[in-house]
Amino acid sequence: MATEIRVPTLGESVTEATVGQWYKQAGDAVTADEPLVELETDKVTVEVPAPASGVLSEIIVKAGDTVAVGSLLGAIAEGDGKVKPAPVKAAAATPQPAPAPAAAKPSEPAKLKPAALEREPSPREEVSGNGNGNGAGKVDMPPSPAARKYLAETGLSPASVVGTGRRGQVLKQDVLAQAAGVATAAASLLAREPKPKAPPAPRPPIAPQDETREERVRMTRLRQTIARRLKEAQDTAAMLTTFNDVDMSAVMQLRREYREAFEKKHGVKLGLMGFFVKACVQALKDIPAVNAEIDGTDIIYKNYYHIGVAVGTERGLVVPVLRDADRMSLAEIEAAIADFGTRAREGRLGLEEMQGGTFTISNGGIYGSLLSTPILNAPQSGILGMHRIEERAVVRDGQIVARPMMYLALSYDHRLVDGKEAVTFLIQVKEAIEDPKRLVLDL
C-alpha cells in the first residue's frame, strides 16, 4: 500500500508554497523522516520529510510548481530498491459523456410553460405593482405614451417608477428621474470598486550583443514577498526618517572590561545588539505610539514588546522576533540573536518565530553602511537603523577629540507618530547607549 506525501501545515496565514527541489528521484529508496523535497514559502524554506520508509514510487509535482497546504506531492511504495516509476497522472480526467436524457413517457401530458400563457397587457388593463406612488395596489391609469416610449428605451419596469400624474399615472419626467437615479447608483458602485493596477511597463529593448550576456532567474517566493511588503509599506504609511548620532565609547569600554567574564559565565559573546534592544524597549515604554499600529480607524497600543531583529541571509532578509524582550536579560537577548542568525542562514527558522513583532531593529553597520533610511516592517510604526562605527572628531568639554561614533536612523509612520515623539524616542536611545548605567537604573 502506497503512503502519500502531502504538503504539511506551513504556519499562520501561509496557504501555499513553491516546490524548490526534490532530493530524491522516482524509484529511489527512502527512509522515514529523511528530507524528500524542499518547499519555499513567503517567509521560510521548509523541508518535507518522508512519512515512511520504502521507495519513492511517484512524484506528482515538479520543481517550480505552486502547491497548496494538503496537496499531494508524491507517494512512497513498499520496497527497498529500484522500482519502475509510476506514470505521470493526467492533469484532468477524461470527461465521461453525459447520459442521454430520458424520453418522456407517452402517458404524461406535456406541461405548458408559464411563458406560453403570458401575453402583453392592453393599455387599459390593470397593472399590478408600485406605480401609483403609494406603495402597492392597482394603477388606474397606464403610463402615458411618452412614458411608455422612455420605459422601452431605458428597460425600466412601470412598477419600478413612482408616478406623479393623475391617479398615479407614470409620466415622461418620472421615467427620466428614475433612470437618472439608477445611473447615479451604478456610477457610485463602480467608483467604490478597487481599480485594477496598471500592468508593469514592458522592458525596453536591449542591444542584441548584450542580450546574450544576460541571465534571467525567477525570483524566489521569499524575494517576491520582501519586494511586495516593502512596496506596500511605502504606499501605505506616511513614512519619515529622523537621524541622530551616538557616542559608542561607554558601551565599547564596557565590552572590553567584561567580555571575557560575560562569555565565561553565559556561554555567549557580549555584542552591541543587546544594549540597543534594551535601550529601545525602555524608550518604547515611554513613547508608546512607536510600539503601536493602525487598524482601520483605530490605534492599537501594545503593552508588550516583541522586538524584530533583521538578519541577512543568502536567500534574503528575514526578521525573527524576540518575544517579551522586556523580560529578557542581556545574556538571553544575545544568545537568542546568535541562535537566530545561525538558524536563519541554515534556513531552519520557523514561521511562528517571524510573526507578531511590534518594533524592528536593523543593523546595516555589519555590512559597512554609514547611513540609510530603513523601510518600515508593516504594520509596525517604527524601525531603528544602526550603522557602522567609525572614529570621528567631536567636541567634548571644549576640546576636539576622536570618538567612536555611530549614526542612528528612526523611520516611523507619521500618521501615528508625531515628529516630537520620534525625536524624543531616538534621543532616549542615544542617552541610554552613551550612559549604559541608565539601562540598569531604568532611567
Side-chain angles (χ1 to χ4, degrees):
M1 181 178 178
T3 302
E4 295 180 338
I5 308 169
R6 292 190 175 272
V7 179
T9 301
L10 300 172
E12 181 184 356
S13 76
V14 180
T15 59
E16 62 180 19
T18 300
V19 179
Q21 61 176 321
W22 282 90
Y23 301 130
K24 296 285 187 177
Q25 301 297 322
D28 290 350
V30 298
T31 58
D33 297 327
E34 178 184 7
L36 286 183
V37 59
E38 180 185 73
L39 300 180
E40 294 181 358
T41 70
D42 292 348
K43 299 180 180 179
V44 295
T45 298
V46 179
E47 290 182 340
V48 179
S53 298
V55 177
L56 182 59
S57 59
E58 188 176 13
I59 293 179
I60 303 295
V61 292
K62 61 182 184 297
D65 289 350
T66 299
V67 291
V69 172
S71 298
L72 185 63
L73 297 172
I76 297 176
E78 296 178 354
D80 57 0
K82 285 282 183 178
V83 299
K84 184 178 179 180
V88 179
K89 293 185 177 180
T94 304
Q96 298 294 330
K105 296 181 180 179
S107 59
E108 291 183 357
K111 295 182 179 180
L112 294 177
K113 295 183 180 179
L117 301 178
E118 294 177 356
R119 62 181 178 83
E120 195 72 24
S122 65
R124 292 297 178 180
E125 285 186 291
E126 294 178 341
V127 181
S128 61
N130 297 334
N132 60 354
N134 56 12
K138 297 181 179 180
V139 179
D140 294 332
M141 294 294 292
S144 68
R148 286 201 300 272
K149 174 184 175 183
Y150 281 98
L151 284 170
E153 291 179 355
T154 58
L156 295 174
S157 167
S160 65
V161 182
V162 178
T164 59
R166 184 180 179 185
R167 288 185 292 176
Q169 185 181 36
V170 176
L171 305 178
K172 169 185 174 182
Q173 55 266 32
D174 301 329
V175 179
L176 294 177
Q178 179 69 11
V182 171
T184 302
S188 177
L189 288 174
L190 290 174
R192 287 200 297 268
E193 290 183 357
K195 296 181 179 179
K197 294 182 179 179
R203 186 171 184 243
I206 61 173
Q209 62 269 24
D210 293 336
E211 186 175 4
T212 58
R213 294 182 289 175
E214 293 183 346
E215 180 184 6
R216 183 181 291 268
V217 179
R218 181 176 177 82
M219 294 173 67
T220 63
R221 291 184 66 88
L222 177 59
R223 176 55 57 187
Q224 292 178 44
T225 301
I226 292 172
R228 185 184 71 251
R229 286 179 59 84
L230 292 180
K231 186 57 181 173
E232 286 175 353
Q234 287 184 319
D235 293 342
T236 302
M239 195 158 54
L240 194 62
T241 305
T242 185
F243 303 92
N244 215 317
D245 59 358
V246 57
D247 188 342
M248 300 295 295
S249 300
V251 167
M252 295 180 70
Q253 178 63 30
L254 195 63
R255 291 180 66 206
R256 282 193 293 268
E257 291 181 9
Y258 295 101
R259 177 182 298 170
E260 293 183 3
F262 186 89
E263 186 173 357
K264 182 177 180 180
K265 179 176 181 179
H266 300 291
V268 64
K269 293 182 179 180
L270 179 59
L272 295 176
M273 287 297 295
F275 291 100
F276 278 94
V277 170
K278 284 288 188 182
C280 287
V281 168
Q282 186 170 289
L284 290 172
K285 291 180 178 179
D286 294 336
I287 314 293
V290 184
N291 199 51
E293 72 175 63
I294 293 177
D295 183 20
T297 57
D298 297 330
I299 299 175
I300 301 177
Y301 290 98
K302 302 174 183 178
N303 299 316
Y304 52 90
Y305 306 92
H306 297 342
I307 308 301
V309 180
V311 178
T313 70
E314 292 182 357
R315 298 173 182 265
L317 187 72
V318 294
V319 187
V321 177
L322 296 168
R323 298 189 179 279
D324 295 315
D326 57 318
R327 303 177 185 177
M328 301 175 70
S329 67
L330 194 63
E332 289 173 333
I333 292 173
E334 291 291 352
I337 293 175
D339 177 60
F340 283 156
T342 300
R343 291 193 292 123
R345 286 185 287 272
E346 296 174 353
R348 295 189 294 110
L349 284 176
L351 287 173
E352 67 282 354
E353 296 177 292
M354 294 184 285
Q355 297 173 339
T358 62
F359 183 82
T360 297
I361 301 176
S362 176
N363 185 7
I366 60 176
Y367 305 112
S369 173
L370 174 65
L371 192 62
S372 66
T373 55
I375 300 177
L376 288 173
N377 185 13
Q380 298 172 19
S381 297
I383 178 172
L384 179 73
M386 299 166 54
H387 301 89
R388 78 183 187 211
I389 302 172
E390 63 177 6
E391 294 280 334
R392 288 203 296 269
V394 296
V395 177
R396 295 288 185 266
D397 300 325
Q399 301 293 322
I400 299 177
V401 295
R403 292 291 175 85
M405 303 296 293
M406 175 194 290
Y407 286 119
L408 297 179
L410 175 71
S411 293
Y412 59 97
D413 190 346
H414 211 347
R415 298 177 302 167
L416 175 59
V417 182
D418 292 332
K420 176 184 177 182
E421 294 173 312
V423 172
T424 302
F425 175 91
L426 200 54
I427 288 177
Q428 287 198 12
V429 173
K430 167 187 169 72
E431 291 176 346
I433 296 299
E434 291 182 340
D435 186 7
K437 295 188 291 292
R438 300 175 67 92
L439 297 176
V440 179
L441 300 175
D442 194 20
L443 295 177

